[in-house]
Amino acid sequence: MPVIKYFYALLSIIAISAGLFTPSYFFLLHQKDQKLELHFADKLNQASSQFEAINNAYALVSNSVYDNVISKPEIVSLVKKANGATAEEQAILRQELYDRLLPLYQNLQKQNIRQLHFHLKNSISFLRFHRPSMFGDSLEAVRYSIDKVNRTRRPAFGFEEGRIFNGFRHVFPLFLDNKFAGTVEISYSFNAIRSEEIKLLPAHYDFMIRKDIIASKVWKSEASNYIPSPLSEHYLQDKNITQDATESHFSAELIDMINANILSDIDSGLKTEAAFSLHTQAKGEDYIVMFLPIYNVEKKQVAYYISYEKNNTVKLIEQTFDVELLAAGILSFFFALLLVLYVLSQQRTSKALELLATTDP
């Protein structure tokens, strides 16, 4: 009889413990999920702010070059004269413009600025410093930023794919005696942003552009500038964008392992065309991979900026959850134990009183 009694007492302890522990488990799980969600949102905000800060710094450089060198009458007059000039006259003006600004362009290249490009006022390419031999093609309906500046006579900034390269573009109107003469573009590639990012945080940074955008803009002769992205069949990478593994402390093998781990979850994130992050483990370490959407001048999502960072916070949140769960389990068990012992004690006392009340001394 006592054995059965103790057995039922043990079952009661287990049942009460489970009843107390279950809501604690779901409460702690909800708290952990909230902490992870807030952490990932905070990391995305930090990455976005850092990216914007670097973009703003390059915008200042572009504005400075435009204000102090390019907008001068001796430069703008060459572009103005080229409008309506014969092919032979344009060739002479183009060469003079190239000779005047080549030292500037070479200096800009050292600052990771890739393109200096002049256009006539009808959106005809006049001089590409990155491809001096290629000119005379119309960029109307190909380069929205140039069309916009032609239409509004105001600067336009943003990411955009071109006939040869992609870039973060800064397109300015050119005026001589208050008359519109054409436009000029100063742009930089993702390499410029990445070189600055590494100075702030030694992580691994990457960039991929929608394949359909490249197919609709880039000349077939320049298609070899792009290679498939290892993350999505719908995106390509600029093969000129490279990062030394020693700069980021991420080996190519490690990046391949991380990519393999998150590959199945990437497409669902890309379809949203919004920012998202993924967490994984590789070689015993935790990593967070952040995807920030890049919008072009037309405000359409056309690319993704990707950041790979080592992340210990997720592990700390998980460890805290495990400790809290263990504490909740122990507290639930001891509370159930005390409750059962109290009930048993009350039953004993009740029986003793009943015995005293019904027994004649």
Side-chain angles (χ1 to χ4, degrees):
M1 194 69 178
V3 174
I4 296 174
K5 181 179 177 181
Y6 289 133
F7 176 72
Y8 279 114
L10 180 60
L11 285 179
S12 298
I13 292 171
I14 293 172
I16 295 169
S17 296
L20 293 171
F21 178 74
T22 300
S24 300
Y25 169 78
F26 285 109
F27 172 74
L28 292 173
L29 182 64
H30 177 68
Q31 276 199 323
K32 184 194 78 167
D33 290 341
Q34 276 194 323
K35 288 177 184 177
L36 289 172
E37 188 178 333
L38 287 171
H39 172 63
F40 291 142
D42 184 54
K43 291 296 294 180
L44 283 172
N45 285 333
Q46 286 180 21
S48 180
S49 297
Q50 193 168 298
F51 183 83
E52 286 303 316
I54 294 171
N55 261 316
N56 290 337
Y58 272 101
L60 290 174
V61 172
S62 300
N63 277 286
S64 179
V65 171
Y66 171 76
D67 289 337
N68 296 302
V69 181
I70 293 175
S71 64
K72 299 304 179 186
E74 58 269 26
I75 299 297
V76 180
S77 63
L78 297 174
V79 180
K80 185 177 184 299
K81 290 175 185 176
N83 286 285
T86 65
E88 292 76 12
E89 291 170 337
Q90 284 188 352
I92 295 170
L93 293 166
R94 185 180 298 107
Q95 188 62 50
E96 185 178 349
L97 182 61
Y98 183 79
D99 292 339
R100 279 176 177 266
L101 294 180
L102 182 59
L104 170 68
Y105 179 64
Q106 291 172 334
N107 187 49
L108 290 175
Q109 284 183 303
K110 294 175 185 177
Q111 300 178 55
N112 285 310
I113 290 178
R114 181 157 68 174
Q115 290 157 285
L116 177 61
H117 189 183
F118 286 85
H119 329 98
L120 303 181
K121 60 183 180 181
N122 55 357
S123 297
I124 298 295
S125 173
F126 181 61
L127 173 58
R128 292 178 171 94
F129 274 78
H130 55 290
R131 287 285 196 280
S133 61
M134 302 180 80
F135 54 84
D137 54 294
S138 175
L139 296 169
E140 188 175 0
V142 176
R143 292 288 311 283
Y144 178 83
S145 59
I146 299 171
D147 291 341
K148 184 178 180 180
V149 176
N150 278 330
R151 186 175 65 253
T152 64
R153 305 291 199 261
R154 299 176 65 182
F157 311 123
F159 179 81
E160 200 171 24
E161 184 59 66
R163 287 300 197 187
I164 300 172
F165 291 126
N166 60 84
F168 293 85
R169 319 279 188 174
H170 296 261
V171 183
F172 301 92
L174 296 171
F175 295 99
L176 186 66
D177 300 326
N178 294 321
K179 291 183 179 180
F180 182 65
T183 56
V184 63
E185 170 199 333
I186 302 168
S187 70
Y188 49 94
S189 74
F190 181 68
N191 267 340
I193 294 176
R194 178 153 60 184
S195 66
E196 298 302 319
E197 290 274 19
I198 293 171
K199 294 174 186 177
L200 299 172
L201 181 66
H204 182 83
Y205 303 96
D206 223 325
F207 196 76
M208 60 185 190
I209 308 164
R210 278 173 44 186
K211 184 189 288 188
D212 59 327
I213 297 295
I214 293 171
S216 66
K217 303 281 186 180
V218 176
W219 280 323
K220 289 183 179 180
S221 61
E222 298 293 337
S224 59
N225 289 325
Y226 295 90
I227 57 176
S229 166
L231 298 177
S232 172
E233 64 180 355
H234 304 295
Y235 283 79
L236 299 176
Q237 290 180 320
D238 186 336
K239 73 177 184 181
N240 296 290
I241 296 174
T242 57
Q243 179 174 330
D244 189 343
T246 58
E247 290 180 314
S248 67
H249 307 290
F250 281 67
S251 66
E253 179 191 7
L254 177 58
I255 295 299
D256 288 343
M257 288 179 66
I258 294 172
N259 287 344
N261 290 345
I262 64 175
L263 199 57
S264 60
D265 299 317
I266 290 175
D267 276 346
S268 58
L270 295 178
K271 286 176 183 177
T272 67
E273 297 186 354
F276 66 97
S277 62
L278 298 171
H279 169 256
T280 189
Q281 289 186 328
K283 293 188 175 182
E285 296 283 354
D286 285 84
Y287 296 93
I288 181 172
V289 184
M290 290 171 284
F291 294 76
L292 292 179
I294 302 299
Y295 299 92
N296 65 7
V297 185
E298 299 175 81
K299 308 302 180 186
K300 296 178 181 178
Q301 187 273 327
V302 294
Y304 264 102
Y305 156 77
I306 310 161
S307 170
Y308 298 73
E309 292 181 21
K310 189 178 288 188
N311 187 278
N312 295 320
T313 304
V314 173
K315 184 180 289 185
L316 290 173
I317 293 173
E318 295 281 1
Q319 289 174 344
T320 301
F321 172 70
D322 291 340
V323 171
E324 290 174 340
L325 214 56
L326 178 62
I330 292 171
L331 287 172
S332 297
F333 174 78
F334 277 108
F335 186 83
L337 177 63
L338 290 173
L339 184 60
V340 170
L341 289 175
Y342 174 76
V343 171
L344 291 175
S345 174
Q346 288 296 101
Q347 287 177 346
R348 262 192 242 103
T349 302
S350 178
K351 285 183 179 180
L353 291 174
E354 185 182 350
L355 185 63
L356 286 172
T358 56
T359 303
D360 189 346

